Amino acid sequence: MNKTSKIYVAGHTGMVGGAIWSALKAAGYENLVGKSSKELDLRNQNAVLEFFANEKPEIVIDAAARVGGILANNDYPFTFLMENMQIQNNLIDTALKQDVEKFIFLGSSCIYPKLAPQPLKEECLLTSSLEPTNEWYAIAKRQSNRWLS
């Protein structure tokens, strides 16, 4: 990545996205773009298209997701599945349509089976059951990851 590249960090206010933002800043990257979920609803395809058309990011780092903890994941599985798929699909599709140079998609260790051998290896994906407390988040992340492979 070039230090002057325009980099959009989706999810820059979250734990992982915030760490990425800070690391990029510390490394001298200054052309960073970030929008909170209040400023840009990544579930809204038209809003994402408009944002990309206006900002024209060269690199997209996708650390965005709906998260909420064990209870929320358990109580609202459909919401977590659908909203995370909307977020990922809108970002991936728009990046392709806007000829984004590089798209970095962050998954999570939760996309691996609950009892996967350590250290985690890619060939362990989909080999057994997921952790039930974050299954719907994991399915959404895993599905989007398949499209990018």
Side-chain angles (χ1 to χ4, degrees):
M1 294 188 313
N2 188 316
K3 299 270 185 186
T4 60
S5 296
K6 190 168 203 177
I7 303 171
Y8 168 48
V9 182
H12 80 290
T13 60
M15 182 178 68
V16 174
I20 291 168
W21 184 279
S22 295
L24 289 170
K25 279 281 197 195
Y29 292 88
E30 295 185 16
N31 200 2
L32 302 178
V33 179
K35 295 284 184 184
S36 72
S37 58
K38 288 183 170 77
E39 297 171 299
L40 175 62
D41 183 354
L42 296 174
R43 299 167 302 173
N44 181 324
Q45 186 176 31
N46 289 330
V48 174
L49 282 165
E50 184 179 320
F51 169 75
F52 273 62
N54 290 334
E55 290 292 336
K56 299 184 181 2
E58 298 165 72
I59 298 167
V60 173
I61 301 174
D62 179 7
R66 177 186 174 109
V67 295
I70 293 171
L71 184 60
N73 274 292
N74 188 58
D75 289 351
Y76 306 103
F78 179 79
T79 303
F80 275 82
L81 177 63
M82 292 305 294
E83 290 188 8
N84 281 307
M85 291 295 291
Q86 288 171 324
I87 291 166
Q88 306 329 314
N89 292 349
N90 289 339
L91 287 170
I92 294 166
D93 184 54
T94 303
L96 279 168
K97 288 177 179 173
Q98 295 291 320
D99 294 320
V100 168
E101 180 182 320
K102 183 176 279 199
F103 189 96
I104 300 168
F105 179 79
L106 282 95
S108 167
S109 62
C110 75
I111 66 175
Y112 288 88
K114 179 179 179 177
L115 301 175
Q118 300 294 316
L120 295 172
K121 294 183 180 174
E122 190 171 359
E123 57 266 16
C124 293
L125 287 170
L126 303 174
T127 57
S128 64
S129 300
L130 297 167
E131 167 59 47
T133 58
N134 61 10
E135 180 176 22
W136 302 106
Y137 168 84
I139 289 170
K141 284 290 191 178
R142 176 60 191 131
Q143 186 60 36
S144 295
N145 194 40
R146 279 187 49 224
W147 294 327
L148 293 171
S149 298

